[in-house]
Amino acid sequence: MATIGLIGAGHIGSQLARLAVKSGYDVVISNSRGPETLQDLVKELGSKARAATSVETAKAGDFVVVTIPLKNYRDVPVAPLAGKLVIDTNNYYPQRDGHIRALDDETTTTAELLQAHLPTSKVVKAFNHIYAADLTTHGQPAGSKNRRALAIAGNDADAKAKVTHLMDQFGFDTVDMGPLEEGWRIQRDTPGYGPRRNASELRANLAAAKRYRDM
């Protein structure tokens, strides 16, 4: 089974770590405060998990989840992630992240910022529009009626296929928004951001999304 690296161990990161271990993956997880601060979480996760630095996590992961405050995205190590699938869960909150001009004027998206920082990685936007607590409670087996769907965006078809498989393992259907530039359709304050939606409902929400300048 592959190893999932998680750069970030907050609400989303810790929940994804739980899902990964439950699904049989090995997990390497890091945060900004150091591996020693993650011992309680690692103990909870069990023998398939260990704590590390962000660089060690990036090296160890067959694919890596970046789940940190957006303002810190430049801290993500570049060289160890070359050629790897990187899942971006980040959202832009100006009150936390400060104002980022390219996001304020909507000339780019959060995932495109990370992709520019990681030019040879294969970035896929995912897991950014579900509340952390719902990650471990809303999953259902494939084929379940009204199964919750989550949106993804990315520029690499193979990378998106791998994330779709991972989401299915975690208990969710997937709706593909297209390339990274379409990731704005599921950013904060859009119709699909937050609430539980099945695939058809989520597609309708994505189609109805408006740019901030048009709200």
Side-chain angles (χ1 to χ4, degrees), residues 68-74 88-113 125 128-129 183-184 186-190 193 211-212:
I68 58 177
L70 181 65
K71 63 182 178 181
N72 298 327
Y73 78 92
R74 291 185 183 89
D88 169 37
T89 77
N90 297 330
N91 291 301
Y92 176 42
Y93 299 106
Q95 67 273 24
R96 178 197 65 187
D97 301 313
H99 282 279
I100 300 172
R101 179 177 295 181
L103 296 178
D104 288 338
D105 64 21
E106 299 185 286
T107 56
T108 193
T109 63
T110 55
E112 287 177 293
L113 283 179
K125 190 72 175 182
N128 71 299
H129 64 101
W184 67 270
I186 201 65
Q187 63 194 2
R188 58 176 172 78
D189 301 325
T190 54
Y193 185 84
R211 294 283 195 176
Y212 292 141

Side-chain angles (χ1 to χ4, degrees), residues 10-152:
H11 297 301
I12 294 291
S14 59
Q15 289 286 74
L16 290 176
R18 293 178 179 102
L19 287 173
V21 167
K22 183 179 179 180
S23 298
Y25 290 93
D26 291 319
V27 167
V28 182
I29 190 165
S30 64
N31 65 7
S32 61
R33 294 177 295 140
E36 66 279 359
T37 67
L38 293 170
Q39 293 311 306
D40 287 345
L41 176 60
V42 168
K43 183 178 179 180
E44 175 201 333
L45 294 171
S47 61
K48 295 185 73 64
R50 66 182 177 90
T53 67
S54 61
V55 171
E56 291 167 343
T57 297
K59 290 178 179 178
D62 293 299
F63 57 94
V64 176
V65 181
V66 173
T67 179
I68 58 177
L70 181 65
K71 63 182 178 181
N72 298 327
Y73 78 92
R74 291 185 183 89
D75 295 337
V76 176
V78 177
L81 294 174
K84 291 187 178 183
L85 164 59
V86 175
I87 299 174
D88 169 37
T89 77
N90 297 330
N91 291 301
Y92 176 42
Y93 299 106
Q95 67 273 24
R96 178 197 65 187
D97 301 313
H99 282 279
I100 300 172
R101 179 177 295 181
L103 296 178
D104 288 338
D105 64 21
E106 299 185 286
T107 56
T108 193
T109 63
T110 55
E112 287 177 293
L113 283 179
L114 185 62
Q115 181 67 83
H117 176 68
L118 302 172
T120 64
S121 300
K122 301 170 184 178
V123 174
V124 176
K125 190 72 175 182
F127 299 113
N128 71 299
H129 64 101
I130 179 172
Y131 300 123
D134 295 344
L135 280 165
T136 52
T137 57
H138 280 194
Q140 295 174 284
S144 296
K145 184 178 180 181
N146 210 38
R147 194 188 198 200
R148 181 163 185 170
L150 299 176
I152 64 170

